[in-house]
Amino acid sequence: DVKVTQSSRYLVKRTGEKVFLECVQDMDHENMFWYRQDPGLGLRLIYFSYDVKMKEKGDIPEGYSVSREKKERFSLILESASTNQTSMYLCASTGWGSGGEQFFGPGTRLTVL
Amino acid sequence: AQSVSQHNHHVILSEAASLELGCNYSYGGTVNLFWYVQYPGQHLQLLLKYFSGDPLVKGIKGFEAEFIKSKFSFNLRKPSVQWSDTAEYFCAVNLDSNYQLIWGAGTKLIIKP
């Protein structure tokens, strides 16, 4: 069974802290994505990666960075967390030839105080 | 820019009612179409998908969707909903077999027992 795991289900951080969210997939997928999900706004793409060490900005990259040192792992970094980054963060992956079907992790609900 | 529209942000139905959730996209090329569902507290999962062939596709839990190319639509239907269908439903579109998805804003469905 395909699996995408995220390091935490719930996280509470303080303004200004550096935050790491990690995602691991076991499907040997080339492409990985970080989204944030907010009520009424659907899923908004933060960053994606189509290969190890490669990254591309999505629609809302400001305030975030990413790292992909290994194929199976894609990390989202909030350099200095702010209250407007309180959200649900979703990681997804897909392989070439899958027609775009993405597989999702359980999400991390981040609260920044 | 390409976009996906879900017409209803909130839908409330009684059990056994019929359901139709609208999804329209703005792109004239080749598309792959998806409906995802997120049950309360659970991760996003695929409900059904259309790549080619029969425009009426069946998914899990009695859901189906019809692709109407001339209307750029991919509406989700279920003849008789159950309380357990309470969830948020997302329509997503993949363009020209790119690996990215364009997402609708989601529809929150509440089924009254």
Side-chain angles (χ1 to χ4, degrees):
Chain A
D1 199 15
V2 298
K3 203 150 189 182
V4 180
T5 56
Q6 294 183 229
S7 49
S8 308
R9 290 299 302 271
Y10 300 93
L11 211 51
V12 179
K13 295 291 182 180
R14 297 212 173 272
T15 302
E17 281 192 83
K18 192 168 186 175
V19 182
F20 293 87
L21 303 181
E22 293 217 309
C23 174
V24 177
Q25 51 95 3
D26 67 358
M27 296 163 281
D28 202 35
H29 283 164
E30 297 81 6
N31 309 297
M32 297 187 73
F33 306 82
W34 275 105
Y35 295 94
R36 62 178 282 177
Q37 182 182 11
D38 299 289
L41 298 178
L43 275 68
R44 293 181 293 167
L45 182 63
I46 304 171
Y47 267 96
F48 63 96
S49 168
Y50 54 89
D51 201 351
V52 175
K53 295 193 187 294
M54 306 304 289
K55 59 185 179 185
E56 293 284 344
K57 292 180 180 178
D59 300 317
I60 52 163
E62 295 78 21
Y64 304 94
S65 62
V66 290
S67 171
R68 189 149 180 221
E69 296 297 318
K70 293 186 177 181
K71 189 176 186 180
E72 67 271 17
R73 190 179 298 269
F74 191 35
S75 301
L76 179 70
I77 304 151
L78 287 66
E79 295 290 342
S80 177
S82 63
T83 54
N84 63 13
Q85 292 178 310
T86 291
S87 186
M88 171 69 86
Y89 290 88
L90 301 179
C91 176
S93 72
T94 188
W96 294 113
S98 69
E101 180 180 350
Q102 293 183 10
F103 299 85
F104 284 84
T108 296
R109 185 164 293 283
L110 173 67
T111 301
V112 183
L113 303 175
Chain B
Q2 292 82 19
S3 63
V4 176
S5 297
Q6 291 184 242
H7 314 299
N8 307 100
H9 289 171
H10 293 87
V11 173
I12 302 174
L13 295 173
S14 298
E15 274 195 316
S18 65
L19 169 72
E20 181 159 2
L21 300 182
C23 173
N24 285 89
Y25 62 93
S26 60
Y27 184 69
T30 303
V31 293
N32 294 332
L33 300 157
F34 303 84
W35 276 98
Y36 281 81
V37 60
Q38 188 174 36
Y39 298 104
Q42 295 189 27
H43 64 277
L44 267 167
Q45 56 185 289
L46 184 70
L47 199 54
L48 49 77
K49 61 187 177 186
Y50 172 81
F51 287 179
S52 64
D54 188 343
L56 184 63
V57 292
K58 295 192 185 299
I60 60 172
K61 305 189 180 187
F63 285 90
E64 64 179 30
E66 185 176 12
F67 171 49
I68 302 179
K69 190 173 182 179
S70 60
K71 294 185 177 180
F72 301 94
S73 70
F74 190 55
N75 292 352
L76 182 70
R77 300 195 293 244
K78 186 171 184 179
S80 176
V81 293
Q82 302 171 299
W83 176 79
S84 58
D85 293 324
T86 294
E88 190 159 16
Y89 293 81
F90 293 92
C91 180
V93 177
N94 171 266
L95 310 180
D96 293 328
S97 298
N98 192 322
Y99 47 81
Q100 295 186 58
L101 292 178
I102 300 174
W103 293 86
T107 298
K108 278 199 170 162
L109 174 66
I110 297 171
I111 306 299
K112 298 184 295 182

